Short mmCIF file of all heavy atoms in Angstrom, two decimals:
data_model
loop_
_atom_site.label_atom_id
_atom_site.label_comp_id
_atom_site.label_asym_id
_atom_site.label_seq_id
_atom_site.Cartn_x
_atom_site.Cartn_y
_atom_site.Cartn_z
N GLY G 10 -12.35 -18.93 14.39
CA GLY G 10 -11.16 -18.86 15.24
C GLY G 10 -11.52 -18.57 16.68
O GLY G 10 -11.32 -19.39 17.58
N ASN G 11 -12.11 -17.40 16.91
CA ASN G 11 -12.45 -16.97 18.26
C ASN G 11 -13.79 -17.57 18.68
O ASN G 11 -14.83 -17.30 18.08
CB ASN G 11 -12.51 -15.45 18.32
CG ASN G 11 -12.56 -14.93 19.74
OD1 ASN G 11 -13.21 -15.50 20.60
ND2 ASN G 11 -11.86 -13.83 19.99
N LEU G 12 -13.76 -18.37 19.72
CA LEU G 12 -14.96 -19.07 20.17
C LEU G 12 -16.06 -18.10 20.60
O LEU G 12 -17.25 -18.42 20.54
CB LEU G 12 -14.61 -20.00 21.34
CG LEU G 12 -15.66 -21.03 21.74
CD1 LEU G 12 -15.89 -22.01 20.61
CD2 LEU G 12 -15.23 -21.74 23.02
N LYS G 13 -15.66 -16.89 21.03
CA LYS G 13 -16.65 -15.91 21.48
C LYS G 13 -17.52 -15.40 20.33
O LYS G 13 -18.51 -14.70 20.57
CB LYS G 13 -15.96 -14.75 22.18
CG LYS G 13 -15.31 -15.13 23.50
CD LYS G 13 -14.63 -13.94 24.16
CE LYS G 13 -13.97 -14.32 25.47
NZ LYS G 13 -13.27 -13.16 26.10
N ASP G 14 -17.15 -15.72 19.09
CA ASP G 14 -17.96 -15.31 17.94
C ASP G 14 -19.16 -16.22 17.73
O ASP G 14 -19.98 -15.97 16.84
CB ASP G 14 -17.11 -15.29 16.67
CG ASP G 14 -16.09 -14.16 16.69
OD1 ASP G 14 -16.33 -13.15 17.38
OD2 ASP G 14 -15.04 -14.30 16.02
N ALA G 15 -19.28 -17.28 18.52
CA ALA G 15 -20.46 -18.15 18.43
C ALA G 15 -21.69 -17.35 18.86
O ALA G 15 -21.71 -16.78 19.96
CB ALA G 15 -20.28 -19.38 19.31
N SER G 16 -22.70 -17.32 18.03
CA SER G 16 -23.87 -16.50 18.34
C SER G 16 -24.80 -17.22 19.32
O SER G 16 -24.81 -18.46 19.40
CB SER G 16 -24.64 -16.19 17.06
OG SER G 16 -25.30 -17.37 16.58
N PRO G 17 -25.60 -16.46 20.07
CA PRO G 17 -26.59 -17.09 20.95
C PRO G 17 -27.54 -18.00 20.19
O PRO G 17 -27.96 -19.05 20.71
CB PRO G 17 -27.33 -15.87 21.55
CG PRO G 17 -26.32 -14.77 21.51
CD PRO G 17 -25.57 -15.00 20.23
N ARG G 18 -27.87 -17.64 18.94
CA ARG G 18 -28.76 -18.49 18.14
C ARG G 18 -28.10 -19.82 17.83
O ARG G 18 -28.76 -20.87 17.80
CB ARG G 18 -29.14 -17.79 16.84
CG ARG G 18 -30.18 -16.69 16.99
CD ARG G 18 -30.60 -16.17 15.63
NE ARG G 18 -31.22 -17.22 14.83
CZ ARG G 18 -31.33 -17.16 13.51
NH1 ARG G 18 -30.82 -16.15 12.84
NH2 ARG G 18 -31.93 -18.15 12.86
N LEU G 19 -26.78 -19.80 17.57
CA LEU G 19 -26.07 -21.06 17.31
C LEU G 19 -26.12 -21.95 18.55
O LEU G 19 -26.43 -23.15 18.45
CB LEU G 19 -24.62 -20.78 16.92
CG LEU G 19 -23.71 -22.01 16.82
CD1 LEU G 19 -24.18 -22.94 15.71
CD2 LEU G 19 -22.25 -21.59 16.60
N VAL G 20 -25.84 -21.38 19.70
CA VAL G 20 -25.86 -22.16 20.94
C VAL G 20 -27.26 -22.71 21.20
O VAL G 20 -27.42 -23.90 21.57
CB VAL G 20 -25.40 -21.29 22.13
CG1 VAL G 20 -25.50 -22.06 23.44
CG2 VAL G 20 -23.96 -20.81 21.91
N GLU G 21 -28.27 -21.87 21.00
CA GLU G 21 -29.65 -22.32 21.21
C GLU G 21 -30.00 -23.49 20.29
O GLU G 21 -30.62 -24.47 20.71
CB GLU G 21 -30.61 -21.16 20.97
CG GLU G 21 -32.07 -21.53 21.16
CD GLU G 21 -33.01 -20.37 20.86
OE1 GLU G 21 -32.57 -19.41 20.20
OE2 GLU G 21 -34.18 -20.45 21.25
N ALA G 22 -29.58 -23.37 19.03
CA ALA G 22 -29.89 -24.44 18.07
C ALA G 22 -29.19 -25.73 18.46
O ALA G 22 -29.78 -26.82 18.40
CB ALA G 22 -29.46 -24.01 16.67
N LEU G 23 -27.92 -25.64 18.86
CA LEU G 23 -27.18 -26.83 19.27
C LEU G 23 -27.78 -27.47 20.51
O LEU G 23 -27.69 -28.69 20.70
CB LEU G 23 -25.72 -26.47 19.52
CG LEU G 23 -24.88 -26.10 18.29
CD1 LEU G 23 -23.52 -25.54 18.71
CD2 LEU G 23 -24.70 -27.31 17.38
N GLU G 24 -28.41 -26.65 21.36
CA GLU G 24 -29.03 -27.17 22.58
C GLU G 24 -30.36 -27.87 22.31
O GLU G 24 -30.83 -28.65 23.14
CB GLU G 24 -29.27 -26.04 23.59
CG GLU G 24 -28.02 -25.61 24.35
CD GLU G 24 -27.66 -26.57 25.48
OE1 GLU G 24 -28.17 -27.71 25.49
OE2 GLU G 24 -26.86 -26.18 26.35
N THR G 25 -30.97 -27.60 21.16
CA THR G 25 -32.34 -28.08 20.95
C THR G 25 -32.50 -29.10 19.83
O THR G 25 -33.41 -29.93 19.89
CB THR G 25 -33.29 -26.90 20.68
OG1 THR G 25 -32.80 -26.14 19.56
CG2 THR G 25 -33.39 -25.98 21.89
N VAL G 26 -31.65 -29.05 18.79
CA VAL G 26 -31.88 -29.97 17.67
C VAL G 26 -31.51 -31.40 18.05
O VAL G 26 -30.66 -31.64 18.91
CB VAL G 26 -31.06 -29.54 16.42
CG1 VAL G 26 -31.53 -28.20 15.90
CG2 VAL G 26 -29.57 -29.55 16.70
N ARG G 27 -32.12 -32.33 17.35
CA ARG G 27 -31.84 -33.74 17.61
C ARG G 27 -30.78 -34.30 16.66
O ARG G 27 -30.14 -35.29 16.99
CB ARG G 27 -33.13 -34.55 17.47
CG ARG G 27 -34.19 -34.22 18.52
CD ARG G 27 -35.49 -34.93 18.22
NE ARG G 27 -35.28 -36.38 18.07
CZ ARG G 27 -36.19 -37.21 17.56
NH1 ARG G 27 -37.36 -36.73 17.14
NH2 ARG G 27 -35.93 -38.51 17.48
N VAL G 28 -30.64 -33.65 15.48
CA VAL G 28 -29.72 -34.18 14.47
C VAL G 28 -28.87 -33.05 13.90
O VAL G 28 -29.39 -31.98 13.57
CB VAL G 28 -30.47 -34.88 13.33
CG1 VAL G 28 -29.48 -35.58 12.40
CG2 VAL G 28 -31.49 -35.87 13.85
N VAL G 29 -27.57 -33.31 13.77
CA VAL G 29 -26.64 -32.34 13.18
C VAL G 29 -25.85 -33.04 12.08
O VAL G 29 -25.24 -34.09 12.32
CB VAL G 29 -25.66 -31.77 14.23
CG1 VAL G 29 -24.64 -30.84 13.56
CG2 VAL G 29 -26.42 -31.02 15.32
N ALA G 30 -25.87 -32.45 10.88
CA ALA G 30 -25.01 -32.93 9.80
C ALA G 30 -23.72 -32.13 9.89
O ALA G 30 -23.73 -30.89 9.80
CB ALA G 30 -25.68 -32.71 8.44
N SER G 31 -22.61 -32.81 10.08
CA SER G 31 -21.35 -32.15 10.42
C SER G 31 -20.24 -32.52 9.44
O SER G 31 -20.06 -33.70 9.11
CB SER G 31 -20.95 -32.56 11.84
OG SER G 31 -19.62 -32.22 12.12
N GLU G 32 -19.49 -31.52 9.01
CA GLU G 32 -18.35 -31.78 8.12
C GLU G 32 -17.30 -32.62 8.83
O GLU G 32 -16.67 -33.49 8.22
CB GLU G 32 -17.74 -30.47 7.64
CG GLU G 32 -16.60 -30.67 6.66
CD GLU G 32 -15.96 -29.38 6.19
OE1 GLU G 32 -16.24 -28.32 6.78
OE2 GLU G 32 -15.18 -29.43 5.22
N ASP G 33 -17.10 -32.36 10.12
CA ASP G 33 -16.14 -33.13 10.92
C ASP G 33 -16.77 -33.34 12.29
O ASP G 33 -16.86 -32.40 13.09
CB ASP G 33 -14.81 -32.39 11.03
CG ASP G 33 -13.72 -33.22 11.70
OD1 ASP G 33 -14.02 -33.89 12.70
OD2 ASP G 33 -12.58 -33.19 11.21
N THR G 34 -17.20 -34.54 12.56
CA THR G 34 -17.92 -34.80 13.81
C THR G 34 -17.05 -34.56 15.04
O THR G 34 -17.54 -34.14 16.09
CB THR G 34 -18.47 -36.23 13.83
OG1 THR G 34 -17.39 -37.16 13.63
CG2 THR G 34 -19.51 -36.44 12.73
#
Side-chain angles (χ1 to χ4, degrees):
N11 192 321
L12 193 64
K13 292 180 181 179
D14 291 334
S16 72
R18 284 186 62 200
L19 171 64
V20 176
E21 180 183 17
L23 291 171
E24 282 282 16
T25 56
V26 296
R27 294 174 54 193
V28 187
V29 176
S31 166
E32 183 181 11
D33 187 318
T34 56

